[in-house]
Amino acid sequence: MSDDLGHVIDLCERGAFAEAFAFVCGLGAGPFPLLLEALIHTRQADAGTARELIDRALTLGASPDSDSLILTAMIFRELGDITQAISFGLRATELSPQDWRAHVALARAMAAGSSTRGQEHEAERAARRAVGLAPEEAFAHLALGEALLAHVSFRGRVREEAVAALKRAAELAPGNPEIQKALAKALPSDDSAPWLGCLALVALIAFFGAGHRLIEMAGNGIADLLGIERNGADDTPSVPGILILIAICVVAGVVVRVIRIRRRGDRPSVAIGRRRALSRDLHFADEESVRIASAAAAAVVCMVPFLVTGFLIASGPDDAPTPILSLLGVVALSVLGWSAVRWWFGPGQVWRALRVSRLLTVCLLVSYILMIGTVLLSWAEVSDEGVWNALMVLHFVWFAAGLVPMIIKGRLRRRRAESGN
């Protein structure tokens, strides 16, 4: 595999596509030559033909071997279909767990999609496994460098180790353009990362500080535009307007996602099904991955009361909207949330997460107590300002407490990534 693939890649990099096609034709029939042809079409930006060739290759004969799975993962990564790339990389590591190339394919696919999927720790884990199996292979060190650079915390020891891994890859394969490009990309911007981190922190604080008010203003504007009357004072937030705003944001997000999938030449329903299957494989592969996923979910759960019942407190005891709407919101959000999680991860996985992670259980319990307690106090028309001030403090404290699961998740991910097994 390595010689033929390396020759095809070298020809493509020199722009000798006709010669590359002629070389592949000389290899005869079979899945692997078809996949090499698909790689050439990928390098020519012909995604449609590449996908057709991949489908033909994977339906020939028996189940694809490790070489075919590795090359398929590589092609999908170059096509930008990270879900498929990770999926085939996982299949390759399961079929040949001692093949360093399989772990490289998986690591590079995960690193390529880590900005949107948060799988940089899994990418690092796979890359360390590849380096452990083949310490003298340049692409194993390239995969480790890419995985480390994919971390959000792009600084300090992690960044230094990433550059060291890429330099080691360059020593093992001097003149390789892919490695040289990755190393050149990693070396600059020594001072930019801290400034970007500070700006991101300031933006995050500003967003959450003014978030409620901005949402209320936007919701009120939509309500006024549609002629929806508000109960109470003029500055009372319009619950229907806020719900319409949320619905618009959700629809806009779905439309953008569908357009992205269609531009890749894929079907949305098929792409969603593959992404769901991959999420199940990644997040519930073992108890450690369950703990990481549960910690991430716990951080989100801590933020829910601030978003769902925070406007009741912000409105004050006298101008608060009808609490029945908040109660219905809590019930609807619970039903939709539990149903969506069950549909995405499969039956029984939620209860498995609750059994494994006490952190998630505690966060869910406290969040429900905060939301239901706030609704009941509003329903009972409690007018004591001390009670409402205490509720406001509790909502803010619990929102900030979401940082704890995030820190725990980060430590779990680092421990898993550095284990390399």
Side-chain angles (χ1 to χ4, degrees):
M1 168 189 172
S2 297
D3 293 340
D4 293 339
L5 176 59
H7 185 59
V8 169
I9 291 175
D10 180 61
L11 292 173
C12 290
E13 287 175 349
R14 291 191 281 113
F17 294 109
E19 189 177 344
F21 280 121
F23 173 77
V24 171
C25 288
L27 296 177
F32 195 73
L34 280 175
L35 290 171
L36 287 175
E37 187 177 349
L39 177 62
I40 299 172
H41 282 284
T42 300
R43 296 292 175 94
Q44 290 182 309
D46 185 2
T49 304
R51 286 179 178 274
E52 291 176 6
L53 290 169
I54 292 172
D55 291 338
R56 283 173 53 192
L58 296 178
T59 54
L60 285 178
S63 300
D65 57 13
S66 177
D67 287 351
S68 297
L69 292 173
I70 292 169
L71 181 52
T72 303
M74 174 184 171
I75 296 171
F76 275 123
R77 175 173 57 81
E78 294 195 10
L79 287 172
D81 192 341
I82 304 303
T83 298
Q84 285 280 68
I86 295 175
S87 179
F88 279 96
L90 281 172
R91 288 174 61 184
T93 58
E94 291 168 359
L95 184 63
S96 301
Q98 299 303 314
D99 189 341
W100 67 272
R101 301 168 305 163
H103 294 281
V104 165
L106 176 60
R108 300 194 71 189
M110 286 181 162
S114 63
S115 60
T116 54
R117 303 175 194 276
Q119 292 300 324
E120 65 273 7
H121 64 291
E122 292 290 352
E124 182 185 347
R125 180 172 175 245
R128 290 191 186 281
R129 177 64 172 160
V131 171
L133 290 169
E136 299 302 315
E137 292 291 341
F139 276 87
H141 292 277
L142 171 63
L144 178 58
E146 290 178 337
L148 292 169
L149 290 176
H151 281 279
V152 176
S153 55
F154 186 62
R155 64 182 187 275
R157 183 178 60 84
V158 173
R159 185 180 181 282
E160 291 174 2
E161 187 179 1
V163 174
L166 293 174
K167 287 181 177 179
R168 177 58 179 160
E171 291 174 2
L172 293 170
N176 183 284
E178 191 172 8
I179 294 174
Q180 292 297 329
K181 182 179 178 181
L183 181 57
K185 186 178 179 180
L187 286 176
S189 67
D190 289 336
D191 300 324
S192 60
W195 283 105
L196 289 176
C198 292
L199 289 175
L201 179 60
V202 171
L204 187 65
I205 294 173
F207 173 78
F208 285 123
H212 257 300
R213 186 57 186 158
L214 291 174
I215 292 172
E216 288 175 7
M217 291 172 62
N220 292 344
I222 291 174
D224 293 340
L225 185 64
L226 298 177
I228 300 174
E229 295 184 0
R230 278 179 273 163
N231 296 324
D234 292 337
D235 59 347
T236 302
S238 172
V239 177
I242 293 174
L243 293 177
I244 293 172
L245 174 65
I246 294 172
I248 291 173
C249 293
V250 171
V251 171
V254 171
V255 169
V256 170
R257 184 61 180 166
V258 169
I259 292 173
R260 281 182 169 178
I261 293 172
R262 296 294 297 178
R263 288 181 64 183
R264 288 204 313 255
D266 209 350
R267 287 184 298 170
S269 59
V270 176
I272 291 172
R274 287 197 296 257
R275 184 71 186 99
R276 182 175 62 170
L278 180 61
S279 293
R280 295 180 181 184
D281 292 340
L282 290 175
H283 293 119
F284 292 97
D286 48 53
E287 283 199 357
E288 191 70 8
S289 62
V290 174
R291 288 191 184 92
I292 294 171
S294 300
V300 174
V301 166
C302 290
M303 301 177 186
V304 171
F306 184 81
L307 300 173
V308 174
T309 54
F311 71 92
L312 280 175
I313 304 170
S315 301
D318 299 325
D319 298 327
T322 308
I324 187 64
L325 293 176
S326 298
L327 182 60
L328 291 174
V330 172
V331 174
L333 184 66
S334 300
V335 172
L336 288 174
W338 286 95
S339 300
V341 171
R342 187 179 187 277
W343 172 74
W344 190 259
F345 292 111
Q349 296 296 348
V350 174
W351 299 113
R352 181 187 176 196
L354 291 174
R355 287 195 303 270
V356 170
S357 174
R358 292 182 180 178
L359 177 65
L360 178 58
T361 304
V362 170
C363 288
L364 275 170
L365 182 62
V366 174
S367 293
Y368 271 115
I369 290 174
L370 266 179
M371 290 187 293
I372 295 174
T374 301
V375 172
L376 292 178
L377 288 172
S378 179
W379 207 329
E381 298 182 352
V382 174
S383 58
D384 188 344
E385 289 189 6
V387 173
W388 291 95
N389 289 335
L391 278 175
M392 177 62 77
V393 171
L394 285 174
H395 274 70
F396 271 110
V397 168
W398 190 238
F399 184 89
L403 292 173
V404 175
M406 292 175 66
I407 294 171
I408 293 174
K409 181 190 73 170
R411 290 183 176 178
L412 290 173
R413 289 169 65 176
R414 288 302 306 156
R415 183 177 69 184
R416 181 177 177 86
E418 292 174 352
S419 66
N421 52 44

